[in-house]
Every structure is written in C-alpha cells, then in structure tokens.
Amino acid sequence: MKAVPPQDLLDAAREAHAHAYAPYSGFHVGAALRADDGSVIQGSNVENGSYGLSRCAEQSAVQALATRGGRHFVELVVFTHSDPPSSPCGACRQVLYEFAPDATVYLVNERGTCLVRTVAELLPDGFRLDAPEGGA
Ligand code: THU
C-alpha cells in the first residue's frame, strides 16, 4: 500500500522547504512536526558562510518545539526534491531521538514518493543520557 503523509504536515513542510536558506549547497529541506498538543511546527535548513554553523531543517523544527515548551512530537514530515526522498543525517537522527524515538517520520519528495520510518528505526540503539535526579 502506498504510504501517505498527513496533508497538513506535508503542506507545512513544503512551505518550510520554500523558505530554506541554502545559498551554498542549493539543497532545500523543509520539515514539519506535530507536537503532542496538536500544533504544527516548521523547520528549514539555514546555512551560513561559515559552513559548520549551518543548521539542518529537522534540528530547526526540534529547536522551535523545545523553545515553545514542547518535549515530544508525534510525527514529522521531511520534504526535499531528492529522489528517493532524502533521509535525516546522523546528527538529526540523534536530535530527533532525544525527544521522540517513537515518532513516525515521513520522507517525501515532490513526485509524491513517501517512505515511512520511526525515529528508532532510523537510529537503532540511539544514545540517551541518564539525567541526574531532578533533571528536566
Ligand atoms: N540538511 C538538512 O537540512 N537535513 C538533513 O538531515 C541533511 C542535510 C541540509 C544541511 C545543508 O544545508 C544541506 O542540507 C546540504 O547538506
């Protein structure tokens, strides 16, 4: 059966893709996640002339989630023009894992190709720090 991403997240990820700032790579990535309270949060890749400071779209979305007080998300759409659809880099996988190993990730391109994974499938045996008591 053909996988279908949630339409509202796909629309939001497409919009974020259009807003990506990627003058150096020319590679636009748009992400949109659904927080536990149902809100949709976008992220796009934001590059920098000092290349190492560039930020991936998935990480931008998670930063925005945490900044709003969110600590978990349910699902995420990543939109690119890649074929097959682009998959989160290793660093993004660890950032996603921190908040939602159980979340569903839809990897989508403009041809409508859609791959579905959980975060834990993308990052088996992901790292988790045992926080000291009272840590938040
Ligand atoms: N990029 C993302 O936004 N997410 C990923 O998971 C992989 C790569 C961005 C970073 C950079 O701006 C561009 O894609 C090319 O690597």
Side-chain angles (χ1 to χ4, degrees):
M1 205 176 82
K2 191 175 177 293
V4 181
Q7 190 62 48
D8 60 338
L9 287 188
L10 178 58
D11 291 345
R14 273 181 179 279
E15 185 180 73
H17 174 274
H19 294 156
Y21 176 71
Y24 305 107
S25 72
F27 188 74
H28 287 217
V29 185
L33 61 79
R34 191 181 319 283
D36 282 354
D37 68 359
S39 56
V40 173
I41 297 176
Q42 295 168 293
S44 54
N45 55 328
V46 180
E47 298 185 348
N48 193 280
S50 178
Y51 296 166
L53 299 180
S54 297
R55 177 62 54 91
C56 291
E58 300 90 327
Q59 293 182 44
S60 297
V62 169
Q63 292 281 335
L65 169 75
T67 299
R68 295 170 57 147
R71 293 294 183 266
H72 183 260
F73 60 95
V74 182
E75 48 191 359
L76 164 75
V77 169
V78 180
F79 180 82
T80 58
H81 283 179
S82 295
D83 194 21
S86 190
S87 187
C89 74
C92 284
R93 292 174 192 216
Q94 181 63 39
V95 169
L96 297 172
Y97 189 89
E98 175 81 15
F99 288 88
D102 58 326
T104 304
V105 182
Y106 299 86
L107 309 173
V108 188
N109 65 17
E110 84 280 20
R111 296 181 62 181
T113 308
C114 178
L115 306 175
V116 187
R117 308 278 186 268
T118 66
V119 170
E121 284 171 348
L122 291 172
L123 187 67
D125 302 320
F127 173 74
R128 197 169 271 289
L129 183 66
D130 291 329
E133 246 172 76

